[in-house]
Structures are given as structure tokens and as C-alpha cells.
Amino acid sequence: MTRYIFLDFDGVISTDRNNLGRKDLGLPVRDELGPFFDANAVDNLNRLVDATDADIIITSSWKYLGFDAMRELWKRRSMPGFLRGITPDVTGGYMFKRGMEIARWLHDNTCDEPQSYRYVIVDDGDDFLPEQIPFAVFTNPRIGLSAEDADRAIAILTE
């Protein structure tokens, strides 16, 4: 069975805690790739990927930099897992925009065989379709992906 993690960045692996902590220490909060990621949140993402062997699909607004830029970021920051893709942009002022983008990605990439895959959405927002909510783990944007959040995501992907 194939497993997917639909991953947001801001509020999940790029956190207020990390940015404010770096500022307080007089350290830069970003490089040419964007804000630095929170080491604790990345460790929890790594544990999630290790436990599930899930591929990552980026839902974050960072995806507008393009898939090549996301692959470069993933490589240069030694991020865990295999970066499978980015969700397509669904234009317009739709409610549930991110949920519609995830639904479109799943439709386009899974041959409409829901029994052949499992997915989890990791995000600090709630812009998802009602049927996606049971597959969502909502993070606290201040601390990002916590150990408890990773445990919930692992449970969703391995049930």
C-alpha cells in the first residue's frame, strides 16, 4: 500500500518558536531558500516518514516556487523522505481550496483506487473537504509538528 503525507510548511515545519528563538539569539531566520525549519518539527517528520515509508506531497504555498525549487530545498536541507510532488493550484476563491488541491492530486495520481493508498494531511490550517478531516492532523503553528502529532499521523497511515 502506498502512503502519502500532504505537508504544509508554515506552522508545521517552519514555526514561530524557531523563528523567534533564532531572532532572540541574534541568528538569521532565513536563507536564500526561505525561513529555516524547526529542528524539532523536522525530527518528528523524520520519525513519521521512517515509521510509514510515506512519500511527501507539498501543499504549502512554498510550492509556487516550483517543484524543482522544492527538490533543491529538500536536498540542501537534508529533509527526510521522498518528495513525490506538489499539489496543483486550483484557481478561484473556493472554500476548501487546499482540500480541493489534495483531491485533485489524488485523482490525478492514484487511478481512483482508494484501497491502494492511505494519506494524511499535516497542516496548521483547516481548509479541507469534510471527508478529508479524519485524515488530517492539525498542528499548533507556534510549535509545529509535535511528537503527539507525528503519533496521530502514524496511526492514520498505518490503521
Side-chain angles (χ1 to χ4, degrees):
M1 174 167 298
T2 306
R3 294 180 175 95
Y4 302 111
I5 301 166
F6 288 93
L7 184 67
D8 183 28
F9 287 1
D10 297 322
V12 176
I13 56 175
S14 176
T15 66
D16 295 341
R17 171 185 62 192
N18 187 59
N19 292 335
L20 294 173
R22 291 183 69 85
K23 279 183 187 176
D24 287 347
L25 294 171
L27 298 172
V29 296
R30 62 183 302 120
D31 63 10
E32 68 278 3
L33 301 171
F36 291 115
F37 295 150
D38 186 304
N40 292 326
V42 172
D43 286 346
N44 289 319
L45 177 62
N46 191 40
R47 190 168 62 82
L48 168 57
V49 169
D50 282 349
T52 62
D53 197 31
D55 292 345
I56 296 170
I57 297 93
I58 296 172
T59 59
S60 173
S61 60
W62 290 41
K63 70 183 182 179
Y64 294 113
L65 297 172
F67 188 52
D68 289 341
M70 293 298 93
R71 282 194 302 227
E72 180 65 19
L73 176 142
W74 221 249
K75 178 182 168 188
R76 286 188 42 202
R77 292 196 178 174
S78 301
M79 294 298 291
F82 176 70
L83 192 58
R84 169 74 59 187
I86 59 177
T87 54
D89 186 30
V90 176
T91 57
Y94 301 110
M95 286 183 62
F96 314 121
K97 183 176 192 296
R98 194 161 286 183
M100 292 176 69
E101 291 172 348
I102 291 168
R104 171 79 52 82
W105 191 93
L106 285 168
H107 177 267
D108 292 348
N109 292 277
T110 62
C111 302
D112 293 324
E113 296 179 25
Q115 66 277 10
S116 69
Y117 66 89
R118 293 200 58 82
Y119 73 93
V120 67
I121 300 165
V122 183
D123 205 305
D124 66 322
D126 62 357
D127 192 22
F128 304 104
L129 300 169
E131 62 269 23
Q132 294 169 331
I133 298 300
F135 304 100
V137 172
F138 299 106
T139 64
N140 175 334
R142 176 159 165 49
I143 63 169
L145 182 64
S146 69
E148 295 79 15
D149 296 332
D151 289 342
R152 283 196 307 277
I154 290 166
I156 290 169
L157 288 173
T158 59
E159 288 182 337

